[in-house]
């Protein structure tokens, strides 16, 4: 019988499953090499934060669906705070020198953050979907099932556009019925609506600004990750099979919610 099913008193250890958690760090290098522990712990911590981010992103979508503006803003603020921690954590990994990383890098074989399904799930929620990213994972497994579900779900942007309609804005029908598998494209008609919001609607300006924070926070993580990769492996290819930093640089500077950026010149 597990602790949660028994009548045993709840303790810090059994509630948080500390024994199980501490058994999950299993270095592959001989010795093992000192820095491999940091590498494993930091990636596991990232995966836990990705889990929490997805939990909160689902919550924001729900709150937009039910028109709870302030709670949606509050949740976006939490998401942003987590993103700041995710960016700051890269500093810890940057204390590992290129040669320290080399002591165990070959043990990673083809393993790479490129294979993080939760990172892809976050991208899907934000509108950057890819069928190839789904089929990369084994059929029937947790990762594939979760990604497949998110692939067919509306994005946060779609939830936001429908929210604006409920707030009384004339979002064009073609935008409300857009193909949710496709990237979010700039729309002049949506920009007109957003300009109206920014001129007259302080409550929803706050919400828009939190979405911009989220967009900027993800972009900040991407930028800091590339710089960390450049300083750790230079121009070497990635373990995931890409060109490495060269590939990662192609993902920079892409706004997640283009309309929220494009309007700024006209405000
Ligand atoms: C020494 C540390 C690290 C190095 C050298 C490194 C290197 C790389 C490289 C070269 C790629 C490109 C794909 C490939 O492997 O070919 C990549 C992708 C990625 N890495 Fe890292 N990484 C490091 C740490 C981390 C950490 C701590 C995370 C946190 C989860 C992470 C998450 C990711 C993600 C999500 C991608 C996919 C990005 C995308 O496709 O846009 N990486 N990494």
């Amino acid at each position: 019988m597990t602790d949660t099913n028994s009548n045993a008193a709840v303790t810090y250890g059994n509630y948080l499953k500390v024994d199980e958690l501490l058994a999950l760090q299993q270095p592959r290098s001989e010795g093992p090499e000192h820095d491999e522990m940091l590498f494993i712990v930091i990636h596991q911590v990232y995966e836990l934060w990705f889990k929490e981010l997805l939990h909160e992103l689902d919550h924001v979508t729900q709150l937009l669906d039910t028109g709870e503006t302030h709670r949606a803003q509050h949740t976006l603020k939490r998401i942003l705070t987590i993103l700041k921690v995710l960016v700051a954590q890269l500093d810890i990994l940057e204390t590992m020198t290129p040669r320290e990383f080399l002591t165990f890098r070959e043990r990673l074989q083809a393993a790479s953050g490129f294979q993080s399904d939760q990172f892809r799930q976050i991208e899907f929620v934000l509108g950057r979907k890819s069928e190839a990213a789904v089929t990369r994972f084994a059929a029937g497994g947790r990762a594939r099932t979760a990604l497949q579900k998110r692939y067919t779900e509306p994005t946060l942007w779609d939830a936001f556009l429908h929210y604006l309609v409920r707030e009384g804005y004339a979002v064009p029908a073609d935008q409300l019925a857009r193909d949710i598998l496709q990237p979010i494209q700039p729309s002049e008609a949506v920009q007109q609506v957003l300009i109206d919001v920014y001129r007259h609607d302080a409550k929803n300006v706050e919400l828009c600004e939190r979405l911009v924070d989220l967009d900027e926070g993800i972009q900040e993580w991407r930028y800091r990750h590339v710089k960390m990769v450049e300083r750790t492996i230079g121009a070497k290819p990635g373990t995931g099979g890409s060109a490495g930093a060269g590939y990662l640089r192609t993902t920079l500077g892409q706004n997640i919610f283009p309309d929220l950026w494009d309007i700024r010149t006209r405000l």
Side-chain angles (χ1 to χ4, degrees):
M1 202 187 278
T2 63
D3 286 323
T4 44
N5 292 334
S6 74
N7 293 325
V10 178
T11 65
Y12 180 86
N14 67 25
Y15 177 60
L16 296 173
K17 305 224 174 292
V18 175
D19 288 349
E20 291 89 330
L21 190 63
L22 297 183
L24 296 176
Q25 296 70 44
Q26 295 162 9
R28 294 178 57 87
S29 59
E30 296 294 324
E33 291 293 346
H34 179 81
D35 284 34
E36 192 175 357
M37 182 60 85
L38 170 67
F39 191 78
I40 292 172
V41 167
I42 206 150
H43 279 84
Q44 290 183 342
V45 169
Y46 266 105
E47 287 297 330
L48 286 175
W49 280 127
F50 289 163
K51 181 174 185 169
E52 176 63 17
L53 278 181
L54 287 163
H55 184 61
E56 300 295 350
L57 284 166
D58 286 341
H59 194 45
V60 175
T61 306
Q62 239 174 41
L63 293 168
L64 289 177
D65 288 348
T66 50
E68 292 175 77
T69 318
H70 288 107
R71 290 183 66 204
Q73 273 175 35
H74 177 74
T75 307
L76 282 165
K77 178 84 177 34
R78 177 178 294 171
I79 289 173
L80 180 70
T81 312
I82 295 171
L83 275 172
K84 294 227 173 281
V85 169
L86 291 193
V87 172
Q89 273 182 188
L90 290 171
D91 288 348
I92 309 175
L93 211 44
E94 283 183 342
T95 63
M96 183 175 69
T97 67
R99 291 191 62 81
E100 282 165 349
F101 184 43
L102 284 177
T103 60
F104 62 88
R105 188 181 190 220
E106 66 186 41
R107 301 292 176 147
L108 305 178
Q109 298 179 9
S112 159
F114 197 66
Q115 297 162 335
S116 167
D117 71 278
Q118 291 203 104
F119 184 79
R120 298 292 169 223
Q121 286 188 54
I122 293 170
E123 288 192 321
F124 283 15
V125 173
L126 300 179
R128 191 182 158 106
K129 295 185 183 180
S130 141
E131 202 168 3
V134 178
T135 50
R136 205 175 286 137
F137 293 91
R142 177 204 55 79
R144 172 86 162 250
T145 308
L147 264 173
Q148 184 63 48
K149 180 167 177 290
R150 298 227 180 252
Y151 186 66
T152 54
E153 281 175 355
T155 70
L156 180 60
W157 183 249
D158 297 298
F160 174 64
L161 292 182
H162 282 88
Y163 162 86
L164 284 177
V165 173
R166 284 189 296 277
E167 288 287 294
Y169 289 97
V171 179
D174 66 322
Q175 289 300 312
L176 296 172
R178 75 173 198 96
D179 180 354
I180 56 168
L181 302 182
Q182 297 306 314
I184 298 162
Q185 297 292 349
S187 152
E188 176 55 30
V190 171
Q191 288 178 27
Q192 283 306 327
V193 169
L194 292 173
I195 288 171
D196 193 16
V197 169
Y198 269 78
R199 289 191 177 148
H200 309 109
D201 184 351
K203 178 186 80 173
N204 283 312
V205 170
E206 280 304 305
L207 183 61
C208 292
E209 288 295 290
R210 297 295 74 76
L211 289 173
V212 176
D213 285 343
L214 167 60
D215 191 330
E216 207 172 357
I218 297 276
Q219 295 196 52
E220 201 182 339
W221 184 83
R222 286 192 193 278
Y223 171 75
R224 282 296 319 278
H225 173 261
V226 180
K227 295 315 282 182
M228 181 198 63
V229 171
E230 284 174 353
R231 75 184 272 177
T232 311
I233 62 168
K236 291 176 192 168
T239 47
S242 81
Y247 154 71
L248 292 167
R249 278 193 293 268
T250 66
T251 67
L252 299 183
Q254 296 174 19
N255 294 330
I256 295 171
F257 308 125
D259 288 331
L260 282 171
W261 296 90
D262 288 357
I263 55 168
R264 270 141 225 278
T265 329
R266 290 188 277 159
L267 290 176

